[in-house]
Amino acid sequence: MNSYLIPANTKKSQLILGFFTKKDLIIFLVGCAWSFLMLLLVHSMSLPILILVLLPALVATFLVMPVPHYHNVLQLLTNIVNFYTNRRQYYWKGWSVYERFNQSNK
């Protein structure tokens, strides 16, 4: 029997550091860089200000965090948005010989 099993981590070798796609890496680096820049500029280190300063890094980390059966949360959110914004009602006329016949006679 010549059946091949595909390992669960076959796509992992195509990712940067086995974790990021290019888009994920850009999102993560921009979020972390923005938070680091804000840490350098803000001198008040109260807890609410610190949370606001670290918020871009936390959101970026959340977006690239892995989810079971998906690469990450960003891909999951993209799939959900595509599902609800695209047409979900498909009309099927069936196989109609007469329709093709009428189109070819026109």
Side-chain angles (χ1 to χ4, degrees), residues 7-79:
N9 60 355
T10 55
K11 296 285 186 180
K12 194 172 184 178
S13 64
Q14 297 174 355
L15 302 175
I16 300 168
L17 300 175
F19 190 73
F20 297 109
T21 62
K22 289 179 186 177
K23 188 186 338 180
D24 296 337
L25 191 59
I26 290 170
I27 290 171
F28 183 69
L29 290 177
V30 166
C32 290
W34 187 257
S35 287
F36 182 72
L37 181 67
M38 286 175 39
L39 277 173
L40 292 177
L41 295 176
V42 175
H43 298 291
S44 169
M45 283 300 151
S46 64
L47 185 62
I49 299 296
L50 185 62
I51 290 172
L52 284 176
V53 165
L54 292 177
L55 196 60
L58 294 173
V59 168
T61 304
F62 174 73
L63 286 175
V64 299
M65 185 175 61
V67 174
H69 307 295
Y70 289 94
H71 172 68
N72 55 27
V73 177
L74 182 64
Q75 184 64 42
L76 176 64
L77 291 175
T78 303
N79 290 344

Side-chain angles (χ1 to χ4, degrees), residues 77-88:
L77 291 175
T78 303
N79 290 344
I80 291 171
V81 167
N82 285 338
F83 178 78
Y84 284 111
T85 57
N86 292 341
R87 186 171 82 173
R88 290 180 308 236

